[in-house]
Amino acid sequence: MPIKVLVAKPGLDGHDRGAKIVARALRDAGMEVVYTGLHQTPEMIVTAAVQEDVDVVGVSILSGAHMTIFPKIMALLKEHDVDDIAVVGGGVIQEADIPKLKALGVREIFNAEATTQELIDGIERIVGETGRDRSRREAGAAR
Amino acid sequence: MQTTEKTIADEQREWEQLTLLPFTARRPESREAFRTQGGAVLERVYTPAHVADIDFSRDIGFPGQFPYTRGPYPTMYRAQPWTMRQIAGFGTADDTNARFRFLIAQGQTGISTDFDMPTLMGYDSDDVRSEGEVGREGVAIDSVDDMLDLYAGIDLEQISVSMTINPSAWILLAMYLVVAEERGFDRTKLSGTIQNDIIKEYVAQKEWVYPPRPAMRIVRDTITYSAQHLPRYNPVNVSGYHTREAGSTAIQEVAFTLAAGIAYVEEVVKAGIDVDDFAPRLSFFFVSQIDFLEEVAKFRAARRVWARAMKERFGARKPESMRLRFHCQTAGVSCTAREPLNNIARTAIEALAAVCGGAQSLHTNGYDEALSIPSEPAMKIALRTQQIIAEEVGIGGTIDPLAGSYALERLTADIEKGCFDYFAEVDKRGGVVKCLEDNYFQMELADAAYDLHRRKEASERHIVSVTKYRDDSANPVVELHHADEGAADRQLARLRKTKAARDANAVSRALDEIVRVAKTDENLMPATIAAVKARATGGEIVNALRPVFGTYVETPVF
């Protein structure tokens, strides 16, 4: 089964160029991609991740609210008992905040310099590490 | 007719055979094709043969004269330089007011206001959706009390004030008018601009509240109100900046923007207002990207297309209705996080393109643009960059100095053609609003952005310090603007104070009146001004109208 990714745009900021390019590049690389659209709350993102049964949530945020939004997403994933879903991030995230985000359990932050190939390789590696069983989806198992 | 005279095309072929080919046989060119950032293939060299279809009097002409290719005014920068208008906004009204005063003290000649995301989207600071965003990317404005402090001590009859605000623009305009009234300024002397360009929000910037059709009615109401009461005010700033920053081509930037302009004119004309009574106050906003030549051509083409569209489509008679005036901002996306001081050079080149293209006002980005909202030192250098161009370079001495360049005139004409092709396509698809609802612009943009990204990754053009000349050992640390963690709490306290001091019954009556007006075809502005005066907040007004207008829900496409 292909890796399934939820590309998510939380908060109020409308900078979706990167999110859309990432969504298309991952799709072109053979992954299954769901894009949430803009202005999602952490609750909406986690609900979508559970319903779509994704392997990865990619959060794109350029508003500066990342230190408010990532902790909420991580806590909600835990609450829903799906913290095996890997969370990665991108956007405008200052260097100093990256260790803090990783300490929260965010697997990787891809900054604006990351190439789409680095992104694809990174996501494949991370999904390999989480060892999420994707065959369930094939069997039609829903959570 | 037989002629023995060699044409220029013949001469070029001869040159290619005798000079070029032997040369490239020894030393080939570095690549197959050279493209503009917008993807247009550049000729190796341009000659009069490439501009044979361009007529000086018809297509180029003189500044301040139809078709305004060379500029909207006959004297341009010989009269005065462009307005240097650095945008600012963060924290509370007091914080931003201090930045405005700093910029004015440094010689800035206009004010431009950036609002935080909640204000832009019509949420009050105490809304749950606002958490983490209050005062973060711009200044938080909940009520007219904030607006009073935002422009405190600034003479609003003397300095023009621009506000980057869209779905809730009519409320901010109402607040601005109440501030002017409470401080005793004459409305007819207020000059300034609200962005108020809702169409490009659905395409590119993505700040919306209501669906496109009621949103167009709000824009119409602000334009007609301004036409009647605010003779020096620009009630809409039709913007290509965000579309280009979101990855469009240069042609799309101009075409989508002017198509939006056409849609607003149609909307107001439909309401029975004569085109010449409001079109002179329409203004525009473009990016200045790093592709110098293409950008200068783009600005010139935009003026020509608008002049022709206004004349031919709407029968405009006043010259002021046909001449396009624009604000310009250097390209945020061209700035890199790596070696940020290099952005000063990029910004200078982009600023020069804006000036060669005849911009009326300009914001130059800070070197820290890719990292955070700008620090004071970054803004100072950005302003100095404009001042150096204005005072030292001498480019303003002659108007439209690059006109007549074969390459520039060809690119200008090609961009113009690209725009009219898009207009024809939009008309065929049922107009701008229909195209928005059908995601036409959104998909065109997504395709262009993806194509641009792939060309970037194929290193069609390198980005210095990122894809070439990368130096991992030297990334100078620059002092960044620090988000003020206390600003949100201070803003919440301000909001509580305003709510405690007002007459709640008066507010609720004023909101009821706005709802009543919204259900009719009356102009929304007077009722909104009354509500703002009673200290209704932006979020209260926006929410009161949701049941009438609905809430826009995007169908995401990528």
Side-chain angles (χ1 to χ4, degrees), chain A residues 16-17 24 28 113 116, chain B residues 206 245 338 447 450 457:
Chain A
D16 60 359
R17 175 179 178 173
R24 202 186 274 207
D28 285 358
E113 283 181 11
T116 47
Chain B
K206 315 295 173 76
E245 288 276 295
R338 193 175 282 273
D447 286 347
Y450 195 56
E457 291 209 330

Side-chain angles (χ1 to χ4, degrees), chain B residues 436-497:
Chain B
L436 287 178
E437 291 169 344
D438 293 345
N439 272 326
Y440 169 68
F441 295 119
Q442 294 90 323
M443 273 317 292
E444 285 287 299
L445 174 58
D447 286 347
Y450 195 56
D451 175 61
L452 182 62
H453 189 75
R454 283 197 310 193
R455 286 194 284 131
K456 206 189 251 174
E457 291 209 330
S459 290
E460 185 180 288
R461 273 188 200 202
H462 280 291
I463 298 166
V464 171
S465 85
V466 179
T467 67
K468 202 172 184 178
Y469 311 117
R470 186 150 161 170
D471 179 358
D472 286 312
S473 69
N475 204 19
V477 178
V478 295
E479 191 63 32
L480 295 177
H481 171 87
H482 286 293
D484 174 356
E485 300 301 333
D489 285 340
R490 292 202 303 280
Q491 182 57 28
L492 289 170
R494 292 172 63 95
L495 180 55
R496 279 194 299 271
K497 193 173 151 205

Side-chain angles (χ1 to χ4, degrees), chain B residues 328-343:
Chain B
C328 202
Q329 180 171 340
T330 57
V333 294
S334 72
C335 293
T336 62
R338 193 175 282 273
E339 298 188 24
L341 296 179
N342 297 343
N343 296 326

Side-chain angles (χ1 to χ4, degrees), chain A residues 11-14 16-17 20-21 23-25 27-28 35 37-39 62-63 72 92 94 113 115-116, chain B residues 117 121 129 131 133 136-137 206 245-247 338 371-372 447 450 452-453 457 470 554 556-558:
Chain A
L12 300 179
D13 98 87
D16 60 359
R17 175 179 178 173
K20 286 184 169 195
I21 286 172
R24 202 186 274 207
R27 189 181 65 190
D28 285 358
Y35 171 48
L38 289 162
H39 312 145
L62 290 86
S63 74
K72 285 194 178 165
V92 177
Q94 294 175 5
E113 283 181 11
T115 64
T116 47
Chain B
M117 292 305 312
M121 294 285 291
R129 300 289 304 258
E131 203 185 328
E133 316 229 24
R136 180 78 63 164
E137 273 192 321
K206 315 295 173 76
E245 288 276 295
R338 193 175 282 273
L371 296 163
S372 80
D447 286 347
Y450 195 56
L452 182 62
H453 189 75
E457 291 209 330
R470 186 150 161 170
E554 140 193 68
V557 288
F558 65 88

Side-chain angles (χ1 to χ4, degrees), chain B residues 16 96 114 162 194 259 313 435 459 543:
Chain B
E16 284 169 358
T96 299
D114 236 342
S162 168
I194 38 170
R313 223 177 158 109
C435 283
S459 290
N543 286 334

